[in-house]
Amino acid sequence: LWVTGVAFTGATLLGLLIALARTSDNRILRELATFYVEIIRGIPVLVFLFYVAFVGAPAMVGAVNWLLQPFEAAITVRQFDFAWRAIVALTVCYSAFIAEIFRAGIQAVDRGQLEAARSLGLSRWKCFRLVIAPQALRTILPPLGNDFVSMIKDSALVSALGVQDITQLGKVYSSGSFLFFETYNVVALLYLTLTISLSLLVRILERHLRENRR
């Protein structure tokens, strides 16, 4: 839950920035954002997880050490915890998908409303906050909730790095007790309980937004 919560928050913020770049009037920003989305969506999550953990992490540590040279300080790759490497990988991977969700929500708002808001003298930020965001939220909430549930399931991939999550603990316990059937039934039940609970919460939030709209 901790890995998913931190990674999803980061992915949502990064995805929003990318979506704004993709809907920008600046062609360079649009092309860069499109390139980012297409590249990241084309790489499997597990492959990207290994890439960040064993290629990206040493590169990031090297960059940090270069910045710390004037202060005569340094960090090692071992200090970059595997849980945080997994969080970075999930954040980047899901930001591409969430960016497309935000883009769809933004473009679903009628352009005439934006033109009317601009004619009233509202800034771009106020247009987004007062006109686009409230309407887009109702459109993006179901797929956004779906991505959150998917990330909870994909967080099981961090066990490949040895992170002590539910899957890793189940793997360790079953290898020692040989109770594979019982252990993985419990692991599956735990994930199922999490995903169903979150799906119900998303439905309650959707119903609340619909009632407020009326």
Side-chain angles (χ1 to χ4, degrees):
L1 283 173
W2 178 74
V3 167
T4 302
V6 176
F8 192 78
T9 301
T12 301
L13 296 174
L14 183 56
L16 178 58
L17 292 176
I18 297 166
L20 292 175
R22 288 208 69 183
T23 55
S24 171
D25 294 331
N26 189 309
R27 183 176 178 180
I28 296 176
L29 283 178
R30 286 201 313 273
E31 295 298 333
L32 288 174
T34 302
F35 179 77
Y36 175 89
V37 169
E38 296 301 330
I39 292 296
I40 297 301
R41 286 197 307 178
I43 303 174
V45 177
L46 184 59
V47 174
F48 197 79
L49 186 67
F50 284 138
Y51 187 87
V52 169
F54 301 113
V55 180
M60 284 187 276
V61 169
V64 171
N65 285 335
W66 181 78
L67 293 173
L68 292 176
Q69 277 181 351
F71 306 99
E72 297 183 355
I75 61 173
T76 64
V77 176
R78 290 181 180 273
Q79 289 177 288
F80 195 172
D81 189 67
F82 274 108
W84 280 105
R85 300 185 200 191
I87 287 171
V88 171
L90 289 173
T91 297
V92 174
C93 279
Y94 271 83
S95 66
F97 295 97
I98 291 175
E100 290 298 277
I101 293 173
F102 276 120
R103 183 174 70 89
I106 291 170
Q107 292 181 339
V109 178
D110 186 67
R111 192 163 186 82
Q113 295 188 37
L114 298 179
E115 292 173 354
R118 293 292 290 172
S119 67
L120 290 173
L122 295 180
S123 63
R124 286 181 178 272
W125 165 244
K126 286 188 175 180
C127 283
F128 178 79
R129 183 169 62 87
L130 300 175
V131 180
I132 298 176
Q135 297 182 71
L137 181 62
R138 289 189 289 268
T139 304
I140 68 174
L141 186 59
L144 204 59
N146 183 61
D147 267 14
F148 187 63
V149 171
S150 295
M151 185 182 281
I152 284 185
K153 293 189 295 181
D154 282 345
S155 69
L157 296 173
V158 304
S159 63
L161 301 178
V163 177
Q164 295 293 310
D165 74 321
I166 297 173
T167 307
Q168 177 69 8
L169 292 174
K171 187 189 301 181
V172 171
Y173 180 78
S174 61
S175 64
S177 65
F178 297 100
L179 298 173
F180 296 100
F181 179 78
E182 294 86 349
T183 301
Y184 284 110
N185 274 347
V186 171
V187 171
L189 182 62
L190 287 171
Y191 277 110
L192 194 60
T193 302
L194 288 172
T195 54
I196 290 177
S197 300
L198 289 168
S199 296
L200 291 174
L201 287 174
V202 171
R203 289 181 186 177
I204 292 171
L205 185 55
E206 287 178 33
R207 191 181 306 119
H208 178 70
L209 289 174
R210 282 198 301 268
E211 290 173 356
N212 284 348
R213 187 178 182 182
R214 292 171 187 172

